[in-house]
Coordinates of all heavy atoms in Angstrom, one line a residue:
A15 N -6.2 -13.3 14.1 CA -7.0 -12.8 13.0 C -6.9 -11.3 13.0 O -6.8 -10.7 11.9 CB -8.5 -13.2 13.2
A16 N -6.8 -10.6 14.1 CA -6.7 -9.2 14.1 C -5.3 -8.7 13.5 O -5.2 -7.8 12.7 CB -6.8 -8.6 15.5
L17 N -4.2 -9.5 13.9 CA -2.9 -9.1 13.3 C -2.8 -9.4 11.8 O -2.3 -8.6 11.1 CB -1.8 -9.9 14.1 CG -1.6 -9.5 15.5 CD1 -0.6 -10.5 16.2 CD2 -1.1 -8.1 15.6
F18 N -3.4 -10.5 11.4 CA -3.4 -10.8 10.0 C -4.2 -9.8 9.2 O -3.7 -9.3 8.1 CB -4.0 -12.2 9.7 CG -4.1 -12.6 8.3 CD1 -2.9 -12.9 7.6 CD2 -5.3 -12.6 7.6 CE1 -3.0 -13.2 6.2 CE2 -5.3 -12.9 6.3 CZ -4.2 -13.2 5.6
S19 N -5.3 -9.4 9.6 CA -6.2 -8.4 8.9 C -5.5 -7.0 8.9 O -5.8 -6.3 8.0 CB -7.6 -8.3 9.5 OG -7.6 -7.8 10.8
A20 N -4.7 -6.7 9.8 CA -4.0 -5.4 9.8 C -3.1 -5.2 8.6 O -2.9 -4.1 8.2 CB -3.2 -5.2 11.1
G21 N -2.5 -6.3 8.1 CA -1.6 -6.2 7.0 C -2.3 -6.4 5.7 O -1.7 -6.2 4.6
A22 N -3.6 -6.7 5.7 CA -4.3 -6.9 4.4 C -4.7 -5.6 3.8 O -5.0 -4.7 4.5 CB -5.5 -7.8 4.7
P23 N -4.8 -5.6 2.4 CA -5.3 -4.4 1.8 C -6.7 -4.0 2.3 O -7.5 -4.9 2.5 CB -5.3 -4.7 0.3 CG -4.4 -5.9 0.2 CD -4.4 -6.6 1.5
L24 N -7.0 -2.8 2.4 CA -8.3 -2.3 2.9 C -9.1 -1.7 1.8 O -8.6 -0.9 1.0 CB -8.0 -1.2 4.0 CG -9.2 -0.4 4.5 CD1 -10.2 -1.3 5.3 CD2 -8.7 0.8 5.3
V25 N -10.4 -2.1 1.7 CA -11.3 -1.5 0.8 C -12.5 -1.0 1.6 O -13.2 -1.7 2.2 CB -11.8 -2.5 -0.3 CG1 -12.8 -1.8 -1.2 CG2 -10.7 -3.0 -1.1
A26 N -12.6 0.4 1.7 CA -13.7 1.0 2.5 C -14.7 1.6 1.5 O -14.4 2.5 0.9 CB -13.1 2.0 3.4

Side-chain angles (χ1 to χ4, degrees):
L17 291 173
F18 177 73
S19 67
L24 168 69
V25 179

